[in-house]
Amino acid sequence: MNQPVNHAVTLRQLSEHLAQQGMACQIEGTDDLPITAVNTLESAGPTEISFLANPRYERLMAETKAGAVIVNKKYEAPRTMRLVRTKDPYAALMASIVYIHGHRQHPQWGIHPQAIVSMTAQLGARANIGPGVTIESDVVIGDDAVIYPGCYIASGCRIGQRVLLYPNVIIYDFSQIGNEVTIHAGTVIGEDGLGYAPVQEQWFKIPQVGRVIIEDQVEIGANCTIDRATLGTTVIGRGSKFSNLIAIGHGTRVGENAMFVAQVGLAGSVQVGKNVQMGGQAGVVGHISIGDHAIIGAKAGVINDVPANEFVLGAPAIKGNDAKRVFMLTHKLPEMKQKIKVLEAEINALRAQMTSFREAMSDGV
Amino acid sequence: MNQPVNHAVTLRQLSEHLAQQGMACQIEGTDDLPITAVNTLESAGPTEISFLANPRYERLMAETKAGAVIVNKKYEAPRTMRLVRTKDPYAALMASIVYIHGHRQHPQWGIHPQAIVSMTAQLGARANIGPGVTIESDVVIGDDAVIYPGCYIASGCRIGQRVLLYPNVIIYDFSQIGNEVTIHAGTVIGEDGLGYAPVQEQWFKIPQVGRVIIEDQVEIGANCTIDRATLGTTVIGRGSKFSNLIAIGHGTRVGENAMFVAQVGLAGSVQVGKNVQMGGQAGVVGHISIGDHAIIGAKAGVINDVPANEFVLGAPAIKGNDAKRVFMLTHKLPEMKQKIKVLEAEINALRAQMTSFREAMSDGV
Amino acid sequence: MNQPVNHAVTLRQLSEHLAQQGMACQIEGTDDLPITAVNTLESAGPTEISFLANPRYERLMAETKAGAVIVNKKYEAPRTMRLVRTKDPYAALMASIVYIHGHRQHPQWGIHPQAIVSMTAQLGARANIGPGVTIESDVVIGDDAVIYPGCYIASGCRIGQRVLLYPNVIIYDFSQIGNEVTIHAGTVIGEDGLGYAPVQEQWFKIPQVGRVIIEDQVEIGANCTIDRATLGTTVIGRGSKFSNLIAIGHGTRVGENAMFVAQVGLAGSVQVGKNVQMGGQAGVVGHISIGDHAIIGAKAGVINDVPANEFVLGAPAIKGNDAKRVFMLTHKLPEMKQKIKVLEAEINALRAQMTSFREAMSDGV
């Protein structure tokens, strides 16, 4: 039930391809099986290849109908089956998917007659623009753009080469999108942030005159929102990957190669270093700095700067190990409360003994 | 101020209808009142019917202008008013809304001339397709589809009968949507998940070749995102109901009759049983199993498997009753700290007594 | 790198303008500098004006290339530079942005030939309606509306004057939008809420026959979702400002001048007073009341009514100061546990002393 295959191969051809990619592997069983798809252990059929990387799924090996399974060097199979042994099964799987399935093929619209392109917009070579796309004045788009139906690109935007915008992506005015950027459906880039000044209990709107820069090779998921800066720029750094429903506040700068899971929210003026990972639903308040290679746990609430290489967890977020210890102790609070009660009783008992003792002494004297 | 009524009735006709539905009721007051709408106690007018189910709103009974109010058998009204007494007022209300107002009527576009339908797409009988809809190659859509303006259905999708897609719904390639599925505006189905392999501190994209299956009678709210599987399928089970801004990760399978409140997020490869309820903003990390009829509290962060029928709460989530006890004790931490300080002082006092005592003894000896 | 300026001025002209607005200021250095934009300290060039309001950014003053910087009366600059001294630099900055940059200019579509406007819809004067907009039957729209491409306005909606809808805004049937309302791209107004009755383990849909009212001067961010009421109305009060990805449940009423940060979620039937602020990712369960001027901290989970003027924090949310104390003590749990262990040992030691003592006594007797 996967997508149709782009490139049918035999198991031997796949194995040779993996070897060329530096992933030597060893086939147990016949190697002339035609491979028509990569699939999960549960769903794979007799001409499909699957994989075992997470021990959690070992139980599926007894019953899988997969024609072959990629496993590590030491794995002991529960029965005779066609195996592809390699050092890193997950990496070999990834390479197999790319080799056999390839990347998504897009419809060919040319510049669709129902696209609206301003006369002052410049489109690069081989522009592939769907129906219902609107491209406003003074937009410049590089070569090989694929822009799905319903996208809107406002005046003054600069869009790089080989950019891929899925349906209904909205890009506000003067945004800059680098080369090889992919943005999934419904994402909004460059909307105004929460920029208001309080005047007599009302909110007075401040024009948001900054921009958004999305650097090269960024991929952004569906229905995200990236505020433009009030002044200056909001930046998503080169090679960063975002999942869905992520909110980035005005003037925030995310470094290279970030990996943000769904529903992450960063307030305004946050500085994020390079190669930072954030778990789902994590949040960061404004004006915070997060160092390179930091890892922010799922649902963390970051209210203090995070040094490089640190792992933080919890809301408010603290060092991951401390947070785990605190969580564990929190769950032992009923026990602790009981212990305090016992100690109290013991102290009372001791005091009583002491008193009766003293009395005995007094009597003795 | 509600929507116009589809079906005007008298109070007697409504009462007879409810009785036919198994909800016997008894009218106090005249029964020939024409009912033009169902409305809240606060907003209802003299030809509208309202209800009292939650005691929280009893105070509104003294002042409501409603022509009649559905109440339970025992309720004592603060004044003379027209009442409809029945065992379960909430159920009777629901049935009244369906009877009097009916479901939303949709515009009739036929296949709008500004819809773009591929020559290789197959539309069922009575297709009602709005302007600005794009349906790509090899899509098959069942009878009685209603597809609002701005929707995009990518190549190879299979869409069932009586499907209702509100404006700007985006369905990526090869997704399967069952019969009688409703999807609200702006929701995205089948976008790529966060599938990247780390290569030298950069992220290398893995084609996401799996699919999404939305089973029959599912309703999904607005601006949700349902990732396609990397391999295999992401599944939303028959009869499940989602609110808005919900994110479902790749390969996650949600069972039948789920009820998810807004902003819930499930990471990838999560297995959710049937009839599971999740409160708003709850999250689940990857590769977790949640048993049938489990209830996940609002804002819970689930990091361990949840057995069937369990109620969990907190982040990280634990059994609901334990969590409540922990929350309560957490809030008593200042008190506990004070208690420990007192115990410490008492111990010091005892120790001092003991010492002075010993000295007295030594002196005595 | 900001947007092009709408209104070029000299520093003197700017200073005079600020004085007229009640923000007297004093220029240190020449006052004939032409100002072409407002910008950040980091990005501003020699004909741009910047500002210093947050001491966190003082370090940037040594290196900024800004032609002039707005500072407070007492600030001591690290070097000779052109300064504009005023009492409230942030307020002066806001006024400068409005004066120099002005608000966004919109494309002029008139009523675009690719907009679909029902014959029974009424458009006000100077309607500016983009391509791909669909306006259904019986919609009434006031003067000076700007409706960007891809918006959908369903039957029976009432839209006020000077309303600004960015691309792909979806407004469900019978919604009411006041004057001078701005809604950012992808936001959905009036979708059905989670209204189902449980019938034999399945969910039975209840028609959602209420409406949404968005009062005057509200601004709503991108990709938000505002449920219509089941009965009655969901209300967003006059002058309220929402960031992105916010979910408002059915029948919830938000008062005037609210300020909600991104990813806030309110369940159904919540009552929010006026001038309430909610931090990012905060959530409120159903049927809660929040008083005027309350402040709900980021990520708070509100499960009890919040009195007017209160600041609450945490999940579940409690008074802000209590929550901070609890957080602090939570982080001291390891220490507390250790302390209890020490007390236990001390009690044991005391008890042992007591025993040996008693034995000595017995021997003595």
Side-chain angles (χ1 to χ4, degrees):
Chain A
M1 292 303 298
N2 282 318
Q3 291 173 29
V5 71
N6 292 324
H7 187 181
V9 296
T10 65
L11 192 53
R12 189 180 338 113
Q13 286 171 313
L14 174 61
S15 157
E16 286 164 6
H17 172 78
L18 292 175
Q20 279 163 23
Q21 304 275 312
M23 289 172 268
C25 50
Q26 186 186 344
I27 299 172
E28 289 184 14
T30 55
D31 66 358
D32 56 351
L33 181 78
I35 301 294
T36 62
V38 184
N39 210 335
T40 59
L41 286 171
E42 279 159 307
S43 308
T47 65
E48 295 182 333
I49 190 164
S50 192
F51 76 109
L52 178 69
N54 185 337
R56 194 174 175 116
Y57 299 110
E58 270 193 37
R59 60 187 163 77
L60 300 172
M61 288 297 283
E63 292 181 14
T64 182
K65 294 188 177 62
V69 182
I70 304 172
V71 299
N72 66 28
K73 301 272 188 183
K74 294 174 192 164
Y75 175 70
E76 292 179 26
R79 59 186 169 100
T80 305
M81 53 200 307
R82 201 181 282 102
L83 298 176
V84 179
R85 292 196 183 275
T86 188
K87 202 173 151 192
D88 181 348
Y90 191 73
L93 167 80
M94 300 290 107
S96 301
I97 297 175
V98 175
Y99 184 54
I100 296 175
H101 287 273
H103 289 282
R104 179 174 287 119
Q105 303 295 310
H106 306 293
Q108 294 298 318
W109 301 286
I111 297 172
H112 193 280
Q114 278 178 239
I116 311 278
V117 181
S118 163
M119 290 196 324
T120 61
Q122 298 173 40
L123 302 184
R126 294 168 300 279
N128 188 18
I129 313 285
V133 169
T134 301
I135 299 175
E136 297 286 4
S137 58
D138 302 312
V139 169
V140 179
I141 301 184
D143 295 344
D144 299 296
V146 179
I147 304 186
Y148 272 75
C151 289
Y152 178 81
I153 304 180
S155 297
C157 288
R158 295 283 172 278
I159 314 279
Q161 302 192 329
R162 293 176 295 286
V163 161
L164 170 53
L165 306 182
Y166 282 102
N168 291 358
V169 168
I170 303 302
I171 306 186
Y172 277 59
D173 44 332
F174 302 104
S175 302
Q176 292 184 43
I177 311 289
N179 297 321
E180 290 159 35
V181 166
T182 295
I183 305 181
H184 284 276
T187 280
V188 181
I189 306 285
E191 74 282 353
D192 295 349
L194 262 194
Y196 303 91
V199 177
Q200 294 175 331
E201 301 224 326
Q202 301 196 349
W203 300 107
F204 180 76
K205 183 171 176 85
I206 304 308
Q208 302 291 297
V209 300
R211 302 189 180 190
V212 170
I213 295 178
I214 310 285
E215 296 183 352
D216 297 348
Q217 294 164 15
V218 165
E219 183 161 357
I220 297 182
N223 285 345
C224 295
T225 62
I226 317 276
D227 283 353
R228 71 192 310 107
T230 303
L231 297 173
T233 47
T234 301
V235 180
I236 309 301
R238 181 189 172 89
S240 289
K241 312 296 180 186
F242 284 11
S243 184
N244 312 308
L245 294 170
I246 287 174
I248 304 292
H250 46 186
T252 284
R253 290 160 169 266
V254 175
E256 296 178 11
N257 301 318
M259 169 72 73
F260 287 2
V261 178
Q263 297 174 324
V264 157
L266 274 58
S269 302
V270 174
Q271 300 283 335
V272 179
K274 63 180 186 179
N275 293 83
V276 168
Q277 298 184 35
M278 294 191 63
Q281 301 181 334
V284 182
V285 301
H287 298 273
I288 289 292
S289 275
I290 297 180
D292 296 346
H293 294 93
I295 298 179
I296 313 297
K299 266 195 187 295
V302 178
I303 61 168
N304 296 301
D305 288 352
V306 177
N309 304 304
E310 193 122 300
F311 165 50
V312 299
L313 206 56
I318 54 175
K319 282 186 188 182
N321 286 338
D322 291 350
K324 284 177 187 171
R325 204 158 44 142
V326 165
F327 289 147
M328 215 179 313
L329 286 173
T330 310
H331 297 169
K332 285 193 174 155
L333 272 173
E335 209 173 287
M336 241 160 111
K337 197 195 167 187
Q338 186 53 32
K339 173 77 84 184
I340 290 173
K341 214 169 161 183
V342 167
L343 292 185
E344 206 176 0
E346 289 180 352
I347 289 171
N348 287 340
L350 274 175
R351 196 188 295 107
Q353 279 182 37
M354 186 78 85
T355 306
S356 68
F357 205 43
R358 192 172 245 164
E359 285 167 5
M361 290 275 291
S362 310
D363 291 352
V365 171
Chain B
M1 293 300 298
N2 283 317
Q3 292 173 29
V5 72
N6 293 324
H7 186 181
V9 295
T10 64
L11 192 53
R12 188 179 340 112
Q13 286 172 312
L14 174 61
S15 158
E16 286 165 6
H17 172 78
L18 292 174
Q20 279 165 22
Q21 304 275 313
M23 288 173 270
C25 50
Q26 188 186 342
I27 299 172
E28 290 183 12
T30 55
D31 66 358
D32 56 350
L33 181 77
I35 301 293
T36 61
V38 185
N39 211 335
T40 58
L41 287 171
E42 279 159 307
S43 308
T47 64
E48 296 181 332
I49 189 164
S50 190
F51 75 110
L52 177 69
N54 185 337
R56 195 177 175 113
Y57 299 110
E58 271 192 36
R59 60 185 163 78
L60 300 173
M61 288 297 282
E63 293 181 14
T64 182
K65 296 189 174 61
V69 181
I70 304 173
V71 299
N72 67 28
K73 300 271 188 185
K74 296 174 192 163
Y75 174 72
E76 291 179 27
R79 58 185 169 102
T80 305
M81 53 200 308
R82 203 181 280 101
L83 298 176
V84 179
R85 293 196 182 274
T86 187
K87 203 172 151 193
D88 181 347
Y90 191 74
L93 168 79
M94 300 290 108
S96 301
I97 297 175
V98 175
Y99 183 55
I100 295 175
H101 287 274
H103 289 280
R104 180 175 286 119
Q105 304 296 308
H106 306 292
Q108 295 297 318
W109 302 286
I111 298 173
H112 193 280
Q114 278 177 239
I116 311 277
V117 181
S118 164
M119 290 196 326
T120 62
Q122 298 172 40
L123 301 184
R126 295 167 299 280
N128 188 17
I129 313 284
V133 170
T134 301
I135 299 176
E136 296 286 4
S137 58
D138 301 312
V139 169
V140 179
I141 300 184
D143 295 344
D144 299 295
V146 178
I147 305 186
Y148 272 74
C151 290
Y152 178 82
I153 304 180
S155 296
C157 287
R158 295 283 171 279
I159 314 278
Q161 301 191 331
R162 293 176 295 288
V163 161
L164 170 53
L165 306 182
Y166 283 101
N168 291 358
V169 168
I170 303 301
I171 306 185
Y172 277 59
D173 44 332
F174 303 104
S175 301
Q176 292 183 44
I177 311 289
N179 297 322
E180 291 159 34
V181 166
T182 295
I183 305 181
H184 284 275
T187 280
V188 181
I189 307 284
E191 74 282 354
D192 295 349
L194 261 194
Y196 303 91
V199 177
Q200 293 174 331
E201 302 223 325
Q202 302 196 347
W203 300 107
F204 180 76
K205 181 169 178 87
I206 305 307
Q208 301 292 298
V209 301
R211 300 190 182 190
V212 170
I213 295 178
I214 310 285
E215 295 183 354
D216 296 350
Q217 294 163 16
V218 166
E219 182 161 357
I220 297 182
N223 285 345
C224 295
T225 63
I226 317 276
D227 284 354
R228 71 195 309 109
T230 303
L231 298 173
T233 47
T234 302
V235 179
I236 309 300
R238 181 190 173 87
S240 289
K241 311 297 180 188
F242 285 11
S243 183
N244 312 308
L245 294 171
I246 287 174
I248 304 292
H250 46 187
T252 284
R253 288 157 170 270
V254 175
E256 296 177 12
N257 301 319
M259 170 71 73
F260 287 0
V261 178
Q263 298 175 322
V264 157
L266 273 60
S269 302
V270 174
Q271 301 282 336
V272 179
K274 63 179 186 181
N275 292 83
V276 169
Q277 298 184 36
M278 294 190 63
Q281 301 182 332
V284 182
V285 302
H287 300 272
I288 288 292
S289 276
I290 297 180
D292 296 347
H293 294 92
I295 297 179
I296 314 297
K299 268 196 186 292
V302 178
I303 61 168
N304 296 300
D305 288 353
V306 177
N309 304 304
E310 194 122 302
F311 165 51
V312 299
L313 206 56
I318 56 175
K319 282 186 189 181
N321 286 337
D322 291 351
K324 284 177 187 170
R325 202 158 44 143
V326 165
F327 289 146
M328 214 180 313
L329 286 173
T330 310
H331 297 169
K332 286 193 174 155
L333 272 173
E335 208 173 288
M336 241 162 112
K337 199 195 166 187
Q338 185 54 32
K339 173 77 83 182
I340 289 172
K341 213 167 161 185
V342 167
L343 292 185
E344 207 176 356
E346 288 180 354
I347 290 171
N348 287 339
L350 274 175
R351 197 187 294 106
Q353 278 183 36
M354 185 79 84
T355 306
S356 69
F357 206 40
R358 191 175 247 161
E359 285 167 6
M361 289 275 292
S362 309
D363 290 353
V365 170
Chain C
M1 292 300 297
N2 283 317
Q3 292 173 30
V5 72
N6 293 322
H7 187 181
V9 295
T10 63
L11 192 53
R12 189 180 338 113
Q13 287 172 313
L14 174 61
S15 158
E16 285 164 5
H17 173 78
L18 292 175
Q20 279 163 23
Q21 304 276 310
M23 290 172 268
C25 49
Q26 186 186 344
I27 299 172
E28 290 184 12
T30 56
D31 66 359
D32 56 350
L33 182 77
I35 300 294
T36 62
V38 184
N39 210 335
T40 59
L41 286 172
E42 278 160 308
S43 308
T47 63
E48 296 182 332
I49 189 164
S50 191
F51 75 110
L52 177 69
N54 185 337
R56 194 176 176 115
Y57 299 110
E58 271 193 36
R59 60 186 163 78
L60 300 173
M61 288 297 282
E63 292 181 15
T64 184
K65 296 190 175 60
V69 182
I70 304 172
V71 299
N72 65 29
K73 302 271 187 183
K74 295 175 192 163
Y75 175 70
E76 292 179 25
R79 58 186 169 100
T80 305
M81 53 201 308
R82 202 181 281 101
L83 299 176
V84 179
R85 293 197 182 273
T86 188
K87 203 172 152 194
D88 181 348
Y90 192 72
L93 168 79
M94 301 290 108
S96 300
I97 297 175
V98 174
Y99 183 53
I100 296 176
H101 287 274
H103 289 281
R104 181 175 286 119
Q105 303 296 309
H106 306 292
Q108 293 298 318
W109 302 286
I111 298 173
H112 193 280
Q114 278 177 239
I116 312 278
V117 181
S118 164
M119 290 195 325
T120 63
Q122 298 172 40
L123 302 184
R126 295 168 298 280
N128 187 17
I129 313 285
V133 169
T134 301
I135 299 176
E136 296 285 4
S137 58
D138 302 311
V139 169
V140 178
I141 301 184
D143 294 344
D144 299 296
V146 179
I147 304 186
Y148 272 73
C151 289
Y152 179 82
I153 303 180
S155 296
C157 287
R158 293 284 171 279
I159 314 278
Q161 301 192 329
R162 294 176 295 287
V163 161
L164 170 53
L165 306 182
Y166 282 102
N168 292 358
V169 168
I170 303 301
I171 305 186
Y172 277 60
D173 44 333
F174 302 103
S175 301
Q176 292 183 44
I177 311 289
N179 297 322
E180 291 159 34
V181 167
T182 295
I183 305 181
H184 285 275
T187 280
V188 181
I189 306 285
E191 72 283 353
D192 294 350
L194 262 193
Y196 303 91
V199 178
Q200 295 174 330
E201 302 223 327
Q202 301 195 350
W203 301 107
F204 180 76
K205 181 169 177 87
I206 305 307
Q208 302 292 296
V209 301
R211 302 189 180 189
V212 170
I213 296 178
I214 310 285
E215 295 182 352
D216 296 348
Q217 295 165 15
V218 166
E219 182 161 358
I220 297 182
N223 285 344
C224 295
T225 63
I226 317 275
D227 284 354
R228 70 192 311 108
T230 304
L231 296 173
T233 45
T234 302
V235 180
I236 309 300
R238 182 189 172 89
S240 289
K241 312 296 180 187
F242 284 12
S243 183
N244 312 307
L245 294 169
I246 286 174
I248 304 292
H250 45 188
T252 283
R253 288 159 170 267
V254 175
E256 296 178 10
N257 301 319
M259 169 72 73
F260 287 2
V261 178
Q263 298 175 322
V264 157
L266 273 59
S269 302
V270 174
Q271 301 283 336
V272 179
K274 63 180 186 179
N275 293 83
V276 169
Q277 299 185 35
M278 294 191 63
Q281 302 182 331
V284 181
V285 302
H287 299 272
I288 288 292
S289 276
I290 297 180
D292 296 347
H293 293 93
I295 298 180
I296 314 297
K299 267 196 186 294
V302 178
I303 62 169
N304 296 301
D305 288 352
V306 177
N309 304 304
E310 193 124 300
F311 165 50
V312 299
L313 205 56
I318 55 175
K319 282 186 189 181
N321 285 338
D322 291 350
K324 284 178 187 170
R325 203 159 45 142
V326 165
F327 289 147
M328 215 180 312
L329 286 173
T330 310
H331 296 169
K332 286 193 174 155
L333 272 172
E335 209 173 286
M336 242 161 111
K337 198 193 166 188
Q338 185 54 32
K339 172 78 82 184
I340 289 172
K341 215 168 159 182
V342 167
L343 292 185
E344 207 176 359
E346 289 179 353
I347 289 171
N348 288 340
L350 274 175
R351 197 188 294 107
Q353 278 182 37
M354 185 77 86
T355 307
S356 69
F357 206 42
R358 190 174 247 162
E359 285 167 4
M361 289 275 291
S362 310
D363 290 353
V365 170

